[in-house]
């Protein structure tokens, strides 16, 4: 089917899934993952899951159980461990909360914020030089963009260039980057009095994080928030990011292919 995992993606993700040799034999993990990614991409309710992927309760329970066990987080961290740290880009994107997701009595801890347009959530993301996701977080929609900077940027490496839009122009963010040996290339606000070092040419690369948000919002389960729980919605965002990483690694040439090309050009 159109949203099914390719052989390469399944081979890459299979060793990172929990595997218990004892007890009752589990349902086919690849089929269950296919159902989870089908819901992610189509945005359909779990009850509309095609019978090809097995019982919908199995797919939903596996999705929630592995989210609670931290499986999606570990897969995301394992894939992002080899990111290119030369450039780090941070930004946010607002997502509307569907009325089915808003039917909750107490949403103070569910990352939903009410504004003039209704309930919204805000995705915070940090991507690397190639626009691949490294860190992800969720806040209410009315939260300021730089609320989670101290958490998301805590792992900046020395000699890294940080790219962000004008909303992140704050002295404490620049100092945070400087303390870690990084350089913040952020356009100054119009009311800033002190001159700062800024390169408009290098700033052009920031469009990669906008492309990242465009890619994950092709998954309808991410473009509109249908989940009442923030943990479930963030898990879908991470699943979309995992798929981006898998496809990026699949499209990269192998070491043997690179050596063959280098040998060909050398001769």
């Amino acid at each position: 089917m159109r949203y099914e995992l390719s052989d390469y993606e399944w081979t890459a993700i299979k060793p990172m899934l929990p595997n218990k040799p004892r007890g009752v034999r589990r349902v086919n993990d690849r089929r269950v993952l296919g159902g989870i990614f089908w819901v992610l991409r189509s945005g359909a309710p779990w009850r509309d899951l095609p019978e090809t992927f097995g019982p919908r309760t199995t797919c939903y329970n596996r999705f929630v159980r592995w989210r609670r066990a931290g499986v999606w987080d570990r897969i995301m961290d394992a894939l992002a461990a080899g990111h290119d740290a030369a450039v780090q880009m941070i930004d946010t994107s607002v997502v509307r909360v569907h009325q089915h997701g808003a039917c909750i009595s107490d949403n103070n801890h569910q990352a939903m914020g009410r504004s003039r347009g209704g309930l919204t959530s805000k995705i915070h993301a940090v991507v690397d030089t190639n626009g691949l996701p490294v860190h992800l977080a969720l806040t209410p929609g009315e939260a300021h963009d730089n609320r989670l900077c101290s958490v998301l940027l805590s792992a900046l490496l020395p000699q890294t260039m940080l790219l962000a839009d004008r909303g992140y122009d704050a002295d404490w963010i620049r100092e945070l980057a400087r303390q870690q040996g990084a350089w913040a290339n952020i356009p100054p606000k119009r009311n800033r009095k002190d001159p700062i070092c800024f390169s408009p040419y290098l700033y052009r690369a920031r469009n990669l994080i906008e492309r990242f948000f465009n890619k994950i919002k092709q998954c309808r389960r991410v473009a509109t928030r249908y989940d009442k729980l923030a943990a479930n919605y963030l898990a879908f965002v991470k699943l979309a990011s995992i798929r981006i990483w898998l496809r990026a690694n699949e499209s990269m040439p192998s070491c043997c292919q690179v050596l063959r090309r280098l040998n060909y050009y050398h001769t």
Side-chain angles (χ1 to χ4, degrees):
M1 296 182 68
R2 189 155 65 101
Y3 308 144
E4 205 168 342
L5 289 170
S6 65
D7 292 337
Y8 173 86
E9 292 174 333
W10 171 242
T11 304
I13 202 174
K14 181 180 179 180
M16 294 182 278
L17 298 176
N19 184 17
K20 295 182 179 180
R22 298 182 180 180
V24 180
R25 186 177 180 179
R26 274 207 318 265
V27 183
N28 189 343
D29 285 339
R30 184 170 184 176
R31 186 182 68 178
V32 172
L33 274 176
I36 294 173
F37 279 111
W38 184 89
V39 172
L40 168 68
R41 185 64 175 83
S42 66
W46 290 99
R47 61 179 175 272
D48 294 337
L49 188 70
E51 296 180 358
T52 310
F53 301 108
R56 59 182 176 87
T57 54
T58 302
C59 294
Y60 173 77
N61 291 336
R62 191 78 57 84
F63 166 76
V64 175
R65 190 180 302 118
W66 283 358
R67 187 264 298 169
R68 291 174 178 170
V71 174
W72 309 130
D73 295 336
R74 288 195 294 270
I75 295 176
M76 178 68 190
D77 294 340
L79 292 172
H83 69 277
D84 190 342
V87 180
Q88 301 276 280
M89 290 160 268
I90 185 171
D91 204 356
T92 62
S93 183
V94 177
V95 176
R96 288 287 301 273
V97 178
H98 194 267
Q99 59 180 352
H100 292 168
C103 296
I104 186 168
S105 58
D106 183 13
N107 58 12
N108 295 329
H109 303 288
Q110 301 305 331
M112 298 181 189
R114 186 172 298 279
S115 60
R116 183 177 300 178
L119 288 177
T120 56
S121 296
K122 182 174 287 187
I123 303 173
H124 299 250
V126 175
V127 302
D128 69 351
T129 311
N130 302 309
L132 298 173
V134 180
H135 302 294
L136 297 165
L138 198 66
T139 61
E142 82 281 2
H144 197 278
D145 289 357
N146 61 19
R147 172 180 288 189
L148 298 180
C149 275
S150 58
V151 177
L152 297 177
L153 300 179
S154 59
L156 282 177
L157 298 178
Q159 299 181 354
T160 297
M161 181 176 63
L162 174 64
L163 296 180
D165 60 19
R166 189 172 280 111
Y168 293 87
D169 180 25
D171 292 337
W172 68 272
I173 295 178
R174 297 180 185 276
E175 179 63 20
L176 176 66
R178 190 192 65 79
Q179 290 177 357
Q180 300 178 74
W183 172 53
N185 188 39
I186 304 174
K189 293 181 179 179
R190 293 180 177 85
N191 60 353
R192 174 174 281 275
K193 298 179 181 179
D194 300 330
I196 60 170
C197 181
F198 171 68
S199 172
Y201 177 78
L202 298 176
Y203 182 73
R204 295 177 184 177
R206 202 193 66 84
N207 69 87
L208 289 174
I209 193 168
E210 303 292 351
R211 295 183 189 181
F212 163 72
F213 284 123
N214 182 38
K215 289 177 183 178
I216 63 172
K217 286 189 176 181
Q218 292 176 11
C219 300
R220 298 192 175 188
R221 198 80 181 194
V222 175
T224 303
R225 178 174 171 178
Y226 299 100
D227 298 276
K228 297 179 181 179
L229 299 180
N232 283 348
Y233 178 72
L234 184 59
F236 273 122
V237 175
K238 291 184 177 181
L239 279 172
S241 302
I242 290 170
R243 199 69 184 270
I244 291 175
W245 267 106
L246 292 174
R247 290 181 174 177
N249 293 337
E250 184 177 9
S251 62
M252 291 180 181
S254 63
C255 296
C256 295
Q257 292 174 332
V258 172
L259 291 175
R260 290 195 198 100
R261 293 177 186 176
L262 291 175
N263 185 40
Y264 172 79
Y265 290 124
H266 180 70
T267 55

